[in-house]
Amino acid sequence: MATLDDLRRTAVTLPGSEERATMGGAAWFVRGKLYAWQCHPWPSIPEDMREIIASELVVGVKVADPVDALALVQMAPDVFLRTTTAWSEPKVAFRMAGIADDHLAELVMEAWRVQAPKYLRREFDSRDAD
């Protein structure tokens, strides 16, 4: 089962990434833009999703396109939740208990890429090439 510490291990390797405590839990930003967050059962979330979020660890990440989020939900509907709110679209939320560590790292890195400025993406890519 993936944990927030697993997410942190990936996030700390991403240039410009910072973790902040929010009212809803932990959240990760790159240059002030949110890319991953611990979901909280806010009243604006549909009741069935709110029950899941209240009972287990759920994380949300930004995605490049709503089609990407839909594909993940259709691929593993027991892990990926349908849209929780209309805010911060496009995004996808998932149950941490159902995510393998390597898939978590991939989701976090891709979310960071969606939000990171080009110069930070180039920095990360050049570091990866070395």
Side-chain angles (χ1 to χ4, degrees):
M1 178 171 119
T3 67
L4 289 179
D5 286 336
D6 297 323
L7 194 159
R8 286 181 179 103
R9 274 191 284 285
T10 299
V12 76
T13 67
L14 304 170
S17 179
E18 67 175 298
E19 181 178 348
R20 297 182 198 166
T22 66
M23 288 178 45
W28 290 266
F29 295 80
V30 58
R31 296 298 189 251
K33 292 183 175 182
L34 180 68
Y35 71 89
W37 59 94
Q38 181 179 357
C39 293
H40 184 75
W42 300 109
S44 57
I45 294 173
E47 187 175 345
D48 58 334
M49 297 291 109
R50 206 168 48 238
E51 288 174 13
I52 293 167
I53 293 168
S55 66
E56 61 185 279
L57 180 57
V58 174
V59 166
V61 293
K62 294 291 285 181
V63 294
D65 188 279
V67 172
D68 296 338
L70 182 60
L72 288 167
V73 171
Q74 289 179 343
M75 176 184 73
D78 55 326
V79 175
F80 292 91
L81 307 181
R82 63 177 169 67
T83 300
T84 53
T85 67
W87 306 318
S88 298
E89 289 293 339
K91 67 178 179 223
V92 68
F94 54 90
R95 298 168 145 162
M96 289 287 276
I99 292 289
D101 289 343
D102 58 337
H103 196 192
L104 174 64
E106 179 185 334
L107 289 165
V108 170
M109 281 191 269
E110 287 305 311
W112 173 86
R113 281 188 178 287
V114 167
Q115 297 293 64
K118 286 180 187 177
Y119 76 94
L120 286 178
R121 292 193 310 260
R122 279 193 304 268
E123 177 186 325
F124 182 73
D125 293 342
S126 69
R127 187 176 65 186
D128 239 15
D130 294 337

